[in-house]
Amino acid sequence: MKSFFTAFGFFTVFGVGLVSHLGAASAGDSRLEQLSKITKTMAVVEKYYVDDLNFTDISNKTISGLLSNLDAHSSYLDERAFKDMQIATSGEFGGLGITIGMKDGAVSVIAPIDDTPAAKAGIKAGDVILRIDGQSTIGMSIDDAVNKMRGKPKTGVDITIVRKGEKKPLEFHIIRDTIKVQSVSAKLVPSENILYLRVSTFDANVEKKARELIEKNKGVRGIVLDLRNNPGGLLNQAVGLTNLFVSDGVIVSQKGRDESNNEAHKADPKKKVTDLPLAVLINEGSASASEIVSGALQDFKRAVIIGQKSFGKGSVQVVMPVDDKEAIRLTVARYYLPSGRTIQAVGVEPDVVVYAGKVPNEENNLTLKESDLKAHLQSELEKVEGKKESKNDDKNIITAAQIYEDIQLKTAIDSVKIIEKISQKGGQK
């Protein structure tokens, strides 16, 4: 009993003393007094916290806490996190293949990357990550969550997901793999002579690859640009991709409190490559750079935007090294579209709202052509006979059957056809 009251008395006296010291410090507004408050608090933690912490640990946690409380995207990068970030931006790393962010205080999936373990396992944009290998993500930083999911290829990780519309959490056991991202790909919709251009992420080669694919398919009647589940990437590539479709105007600007972070990115008339009718697909997994592209094309009235409201990530982060091994990621500005509107926490509203799913039978006016049936039958015959399938046909075209499975894509294709007809009528006047 004596020891209990001694301990209780100690904490009472200690608590009063601490309040007294902190209260005195907070009374003043000077930087020196506030810095003194921080150092005093750190010293108290070092001396009295239940577990042994050295001053370096306390300092790192102090910086981490400061940055994580600013917004969902600012963070402290210790030596390991700094290395992981450098590996991730190289375009190849071991992991699951998802981009995550903080939404409504929860670690959420922005989008799974195409053809990665996460996408194949069934992880979807909007999923909330509840646990990673049994550890709760409540209070976990984005960087910590990323580090726990990343790892050596062929190793497993257990993910518990909360998904809208599901009564119970979903459990996934996913095997990590080396993530190699194919940022740009193209297929032809032969029945309509429309180019389907898929951009899954904005790496350093997006503008160049997209330009090559558009120029290679100049004979098409229009383009469907698919930015669904595209979590973003490099700003200059978002500007470059948009510039392929527009010749002038400010594509995006960024504004911050420090004027040195203010910048306007204008279109270069020499970089435009096409005036073809354009439809852009977005969904809740379209974020950052993909929102800049879709939002800018919408403001320029250059494309019809189809699908679902985008994620709403329109802030600018820069990585500032603290020393050779550590850095901070800090939000320094917000993006603004040509009309002056912001993306941050708002997202891009599509011109035509279409939810994911199949084309309803009663509205399905697709016509299966004999060539489609022949291709399907030939593929099945080759499987039976043990012959190699024609990979070119499978990879380079979209069949009517595939369109039937994707009502958003079907709507985009129809929109391109309507835009073409409107433009033809306008030219006849």
Side-chain angles (χ1 to χ4, degrees), residues 6-299:
T6 302
F8 183 80
F10 162 73
F11 279 112
T12 303
V13 173
F14 163 67
V16 171
L18 179 60
V19 170
S20 175
H21 282 300
L22 298 187
S26 62
D29 293 326
S30 72
R31 294 167 67 92
L32 186 60
E33 287 177 323
Q34 297 307 312
L35 288 170
S36 175
K37 180 167 70 173
I38 293 170
T39 55
K40 285 178 180 178
T41 303
M42 292 170 68
V44 167
V45 171
E46 182 185 30
K47 186 172 183 179
Y48 295 112
Y49 184 65
V50 62
D51 294 327
D52 184 27
L53 291 174
N54 60 48
F55 205 75
T56 299
D57 292 334
I58 296 169
S59 175
N60 290 344
K61 289 178 184 295
T62 302
I63 298 170
S64 179
L66 165 64
L67 292 165
S68 64
N69 276 283
L70 294 176
D71 61 75
H73 306 292
S74 296
S75 61
Y76 168 63
L77 303 175
D78 60 16
E79 184 174 357
R80 179 181 174 181
F82 195 23
K83 282 183 179 179
D84 285 342
M85 185 205 70
Q86 292 169 323
I87 292 170
T89 54
S90 70
E92 183 175 317
F93 52 91
L96 305 183
I98 54 175
T99 301
I100 61 174
M102 195 69 71
K103 195 166 188 178
D104 299 327
V107 178
S108 304
V109 176
I110 296 176
I113 301 171
D114 293 349
D115 298 320
T116 61
K120 293 174 183 176
I123 300 296
K124 296 182 179 181
D127 285 347
V128 175
I129 301 175
L130 185 64
R131 289 187 292 271
I132 304 171
D133 278 338
Q135 183 176 345
S136 172
T137 60
I138 296 174
M140 187 181 290
S141 71
I142 293 296
D143 291 323
D144 285 343
V146 168
N147 289 337
K148 289 184 181 300
M149 287 186 284
R150 224 173 249 158
K152 293 182 179 180
K154 309 306 178 187
T155 60
V157 60
D158 293 314
I159 306 292
T160 304
I161 293 292
V162 175
R163 180 176 294 166
K164 187 177 180 180
E166 296 288 343
K167 294 181 179 179
K168 296 180 180 180
L170 306 176
E171 302 287 346
F172 293 86
H173 180 73
I174 309 175
I175 304 300
R176 298 180 180 95
D177 201 353
T178 299
I179 308 301
K180 295 180 180 179
V181 181
Q182 183 181 2
S183 57
V184 184
S185 61
K187 294 183 180 181
L188 193 65
V189 185
S191 59
E192 306 293 351
N193 193 28
I194 289 173
L195 179 66
Y196 169 82
L197 191 65
R198 167 66 178 158
V199 180
S200 60
T201 187
F202 284 87
D203 66 12
N205 299 307
V206 166
E207 179 187 352
K208 179 182 177 183
K209 290 179 181 177
R211 178 188 297 277
E212 291 172 352
L213 290 167
I214 293 170
E215 291 179 339
K216 183 180 177 181
N217 294 275
K218 282 186 174 179
V220 297
R221 64 195 290 193
I223 299 171
V224 173
L225 175 61
D226 191 349
L227 299 177
R228 291 175 295 181
N229 293 330
N230 182 320
L234 300 175
L235 173 63
N236 67 331
Q237 295 301 306
V239 173
L241 180 63
T242 308
N243 203 163
L244 299 181
F245 305 103
V246 299
S247 58
D248 55 38
V250 175
I251 293 172
V252 64
S253 59
Q254 60 184 60
K255 298 176 184 178
R257 193 163 56 87
D258 189 329
E259 289 187 4
S260 65
N261 292 312
N262 295 354
E263 199 170 349
H265 302 270
K266 298 180 180 180
D268 181 349
K270 297 178 182 177
K271 292 185 177 181
K272 181 181 176 182
V273 297
T274 182
D275 284 309
L276 286 169
L278 177 66
V280 180
L281 288 167
I282 62 171
N283 65 3
E284 67 275 18
S286 305
S288 191
S290 55
E291 293 177 288
I292 289 171
V293 174
S294 56
L297 291 172
Q298 186 179 53
D299 280 1

